[in-house]
Amino acid sequence: MSETSSIIALVTGGAGFIGSHLVDRLLASGARVRVLDDFSTGSRANLAHHADDANLRILEGDILNPEAVRDAVEGCSHVFHLACRNVRLSLTHPTIVHEVNATGTLNLLKESAGAGVARFLYCSSSEVNGTADLVPMPELYHYAPETIYGASKLTGEYYTDVFQRAGWLSTVIARPHNNYGPREHYAGNCGEVIPRFILQALCGEPLTLYGDGAQTRDFTYVTETVDYLVRLALHGQATGAYNVCRGEEVTIKTIADTILALTRSSSEIRRLEGRPSDVLRLFGDPARLRGLLGSSPSISIADGLQRTVDWFRAHVAPTPELMASLTAKSWVGGQSEPWLEQHLARRNAAAKDLS
Ligand code: UDP
């Protein structure tokens, strides 16, 4: 019998990029899995290969709806809470990001505690740290998130810890750094750097580099990340936060160059203005994870990028419509919240007066 064959797991955000890989991992080891997803950014296509699997149930629902959450957690032994709204959306629409990421997490914690869930894993983000000045970043750091996204994920961490300390629920926090691999988002404000660069390279279009490309991230191949999420959830002694990362920083310019080489593309690299509130340096220390589990993610960036390029070549046809969905500034999409529009208009007017 495998380690997870007796568990009933809820995966919120299970139709998303990381979530769907976690579902693959759990089903492969014999767990029964429920997915709760509102399909705002996740897609049924990400789970289509499990269509005939009786061990998977997909529930469409919003984590801001307590009844949907209550129904989803009922009878579950383990909850993996991944559902959230992304950092780029938080640059223009911080309120919904706060609600889903902070209030939504509180809903999940409350209903899980009420339903007698045995273990709760909160999937946080390296963005809780903000730009690193001490590297590699340990878990206990002087949190200075640059965005409402980072702050809302940190709020979720605090709530998760409170439930543990109060004795209401057995919880653990995974803090993955940037993930990449098959099924990663490329369109609109969900679009992340690696799939955008791969598709741009495969189409011979310019790679849209924001800023000077010296900003760094600690990239982990997604199948490794989900393996560690499961191992953290199953480890009874794991509590508090664990970085899930390789402990190696890579510049975004290096990512662009590597993708150009792997795809043998002659695309140019086009430098655009930097993204507002971009984190400039992120790289974590996986020592706490290694101390607990004896290992940490190790797939090299060259190997992982090769696998990702191969997957995108085989599965994603870069049609003109698809390429049009890779807007040059991935974070801009229509109007921002009214107060932010007003603030930007006032700031622009002041700048014009000065010039
Ligand atoms: N980035 C870029 N070009 C793109 C998309 C992203 O240069 O087309 C940069 C972005 O400014 C950031 C890094 O790549 O510094 C990672 O961005 P992403 O949105 O993938 O993830 P984040 O770490 O910001 O959540």
Side-chain angles (χ1 to χ4, degrees):
M1 203 164 80
S2 84
E3 44 171 4
T4 58
S5 56
S6 59
I7 77 173
I8 303 178
L10 172 68
V11 181
T12 69
F17 163 48
I18 304 177
S20 65
H21 284 279
L22 177 59
V23 171
D24 292 349
R25 165 70 173 80
L26 288 165
L27 287 173
S29 54
R32 277 183 283 160
V33 180
R34 261 178 231 171
V35 162
L36 177 64
D37 203 299
D38 68 356
F39 295 98
S40 53
T41 56
S43 93
R44 289 185 189 273
N46 284 343
L47 298 170
H49 52 293
H50 297 302
D52 298 326
D53 194 332
N55 281 332
L56 175 65
R57 257 181 75 199
I58 301 175
L59 307 169
E60 182 163 354
D62 183 347
I63 61 168
L64 292 176
N65 174 354
E67 270 138 49
V69 174
R70 200 166 306 138
D71 288 348
V73 297
E74 164 98 52
C76 285
S77 59
H78 289 67
V79 170
F80 295 84
H81 175 39
L82 277 68
C84 69
R85 303 304 293 269
N86 74 62
V87 61
R88 293 156 298 274
L89 182 67
S90 76
L91 301 178
T92 55
H93 293 82
T95 308
I96 183 68
V97 174
H98 153 76
E99 283 169 357
V100 173
N101 297 5
T103 309
T105 296
L106 186 59
N107 283 347
L108 254 301
L109 287 161
K110 289 191 303 188
E111 297 305 334
S112 297
V117 164
R119 276 291 269 170
F120 184 100
L121 178 134
Y122 173 59
C123 187
S124 183
S125 164
S126 54
E127 301 263 343
V128 301
N129 296 293
T131 292
D133 51 17
L134 165 73
V135 289
M137 295 178 300
E139 284 81 359
L140 285 176
Y141 195 64
H142 69 90
Y143 306 122
E146 315 272 355
T147 57
I148 295 295
Y149 170 81
S152 64
K153 293 300 288 184
L154 185 56
T155 305
E157 287 200 14
Y158 286 138
Y159 290 162
T160 304
D161 262 343
V162 167
F163 271 68
Q164 168 75 31
R165 275 197 291 275
W168 292 336
L169 192 60
S170 169
T171 68
V172 62
I173 297 161
R175 202 180 283 161
H177 286 236
N178 288 59
N179 284 273
Y180 68 105
R183 304 180 208 143
E184 190 173 358
H185 297 286
Y186 47 80
N189 67 22
C190 291
E192 297 187 318
V193 65
I194 287 178
R196 283 170 58 87
F197 282 178
I198 290 175
L199 289 167
Q200 288 162 342
L202 291 176
C203 270
E205 290 198 2
L207 273 56
T208 50
L209 184 68
Y210 302 151
D212 61 7
Q215 67 269 41
T216 65
R217 295 290 188 272
D218 187 348
F219 289 96
T220 311
Y221 193 68
V222 64
T223 55
E224 278 201 300
T225 298
V226 299
D227 189 51
Y228 283 96
L229 298 189
V230 173
R231 291 169 65 186
L232 280 173
L234 293 184
H235 197 296
Q237 261 72 60
T239 190
Y242 292 82
N243 283 330
V244 178
C245 60
R246 286 188 316 123
E248 183 187 324
E249 66 180 335
V250 185
T251 70
I252 301 303
K253 173 71 166 55
T254 302
I255 295 290
D257 290 337
T258 311
I259 288 173
L260 288 177
L262 289 173
T263 53
R264 296 196 182 82
S265 170
S266 53
S267 290
E268 56 162 328
I269 294 178
R270 183 173 294 164
R271 284 195 181 173
L272 302 173
E273 65 180 284
R275 194 174 76 186
S277 306
D278 204 359
V279 171
L280 298 180
R281 190 170 196 201
L282 267 188
F283 117 72
D285 186 350
R288 186 164 193 244
L289 184 74
R290 217 166 21 229
L292 181 83
L293 299 173
S295 66
S296 55
S298 61
I299 294 176
S300 72
I301 197 82
D303 187 9
L305 281 180
Q306 180 68 65
R307 297 186 204 187
T308 309
V309 166
D310 291 346
W311 187 87
F312 272 87
R313 260 194 218 282
H315 292 87
V316 182
T319 59
E321 297 74 44
L322 183 146
M323 294 311 291
S325 74
L326 274 65
T327 45
K329 294 180 180 180
S330 63
W331 65 96
V332 177
Q335 293 267 304
S336 302
E337 287 180 11
W339 66 269
L340 188 51
E341 291 287 337
Q342 283 165 1
H343 164 80
L344 293 173
R346 197 172 296 116
R347 204 172 66 181
N348 289 343
K352 224 182 245 162
D353 285 349
L354 278 178
S355 64

